[in-house]
Amino acid sequence: MSTVLITGANRGIGLALVRQYAAEGAEVIACCRDPATADALKELAKSSSDRVRIMPLDVADEASIDSLKRALGDRPIDILINNAGVSGLSADLIETVGWTTTLRVNALGPMLIAQALRDNLRRSNEKKLVAITSIMGSTSSAGGGKYAYRASKAALNNGMRGLSRDWAGDGILVGLLNPGWVQTDMVAGQAAYISAEECARGLICRIAELTPATSGVFQDYRGVVSRW
Ligand SMILES: NC(=O)c1ccc[n+]([C@@H]2O[C@H](COP(=O)([O-])OP(=O)(O)OC[C@H]3O[C@@H](n4cnc5c(N)ncnc54)[C@H](OP(=O)(O)O)[C@@H]3O)[C@@H](O)[C@H]2O)c1
């Protein structure tokens, strides 16, 4: 049985991933910033016969990442899904606070978590490191606007692509997955075309199919390769 750790697990795509992995029988470590207010996740944990364990994690806070690592100890993690993200506080603006927060949550956080839990991945059977990225991280298809978000996902892509090369010797496979345009709070009011549940089904298939040949490849939830 796989152990799957998911960040940003209290709503949106993260919550749908928790629900589906738990239904498949996986042991899910569901991380979120504020477990006390994570009502939907707590309901899911209650009905999952102890397969879902909720743990606190703020991906922008190194002390929080350290605490998670200490709490996990040497426990093997088969699949580590860096899902938590923000759309960018500054939207189309160019200013320091919004850029710094967006880069920290979307790009630096996943890299720090990967580094902190590298040994846990190494000890597992599947050894899969996943980042939920975005087509907005594609430089060749970049439109205007959303500068901080685009830059953060491009940085995430580049960093994770590097890990797919440098950690291949440990047998670690890296999934770099664009979830599509998904009906969640992040894009509320926009014409997103798939539900979080449909997206999670696709992501779980892509993660199951990861091989050395697809490690570090930028692809979407259907397995269509995206342009860098
Ligand atoms: N929806 C889309 O169309 C779309 C498209 C492309 C990529 N994505 C990516 O998909 C991922 C999930 O997004 P979503 O659509 O499910 O968005 P969402 O519904 O807004 O959920 C975002 C999740 O990230 C968490 N989060 C934000 N900052 C965090 C932090 N510092 N530490 C820990 N958790 C934090 C949120 O927790 P709180 O509740 O505590 O804020 C929430 O659980 C993101 O990486 C996003 O960039 C989404």
Side-chain angles (χ1 to χ4, degrees), residues 49-71:
S49 327
D50 291 333
R51 281 195 304 281
V52 176
R53 179 176 170 201
I54 303 174
M55 298 187 75
L57 176 66
D58 181 337
V59 305
D61 177 355
E62 278 189 81
S64 177
I65 296 172
D66 288 347
S67 299
L68 175 72
K69 170 61 191 165
R70 274 196 304 278

Side-chain angles (χ1 to χ4, degrees), residues 52-215:
V52 176
R53 179 176 170 201
I54 303 174
M55 298 187 75
L57 176 66
D58 181 337
V59 305
D61 177 355
E62 278 189 81
S64 177
I65 296 172
D66 288 347
S67 299
L68 175 72
K69 170 61 191 165
R70 274 196 304 278
L72 291 172
D74 292 337
R75 181 171 179 180
I77 305 290
D78 290 284
I79 303 173
L80 164 57
I81 305 181
N82 286 287
N83 163 76
V86 290
S87 63
L89 301 178
S90 58
D92 295 349
L93 302 176
I94 301 172
E95 50 85 14
T96 305
V97 174
W99 265 76
T100 307
T101 304
T102 307
L103 288 167
R104 180 133 202 169
V105 173
N106 293 357
L108 178 59
M111 294 297 286
L112 289 172
I113 293 165
Q115 177 172 257
L117 302 187
R118 181 179 180 181
D119 264 340
N120 303 75
L121 283 167
R122 267 200 288 233
R123 289 170 184 275
S124 75
N125 293 323
E126 297 187 51
K127 302 180 178 58
K128 291 176 177 171
L129 167 63
V130 176
I132 304 302
T133 178
S134 167
I135 192 61
M136 292 176 90
S138 165
T139 300
S140 55
S141 48
K146 286 274 184 188
Y147 310 114
Y149 185 74
R150 289 179 190 283
S152 72
K153 293 296 188 180
L156 174 68
N157 286 354
N158 198 297
M160 288 287 165
R161 170 91 171 176
L163 296 188
S164 76
R165 300 296 184 262
D166 294 340
W167 293 3
D170 289 343
I172 293 175
L173 302 173
V174 179
L176 203 42
L177 300 176
N178 152 28
W181 199 11
V182 194
Q183 293 146 4
T184 67
D185 295 344
M186 185 172 281
V187 297
Q190 300 175 39
Y193 51 77
I194 52 168
S195 67
E197 294 299 330
E198 182 181 350
C199 168
R201 271 194 295 280
L203 295 174
I204 288 170
C205 287
R206 302 293 78 75
I207 294 167
E209 289 171 1
L210 258 182
T211 64
T214 52
S215 182

Side-chain angles (χ1 to χ4, degrees), residues 8-32:
N10 55 309
R11 58 192 170 95
I13 297 168
L15 183 65
L17 286 167
V18 176
R19 187 177 292 113
Q20 291 184 30
Y21 272 119
E24 279 185 2
E27 297 282 342
V28 183
I29 300 166
C31 299
C32 62

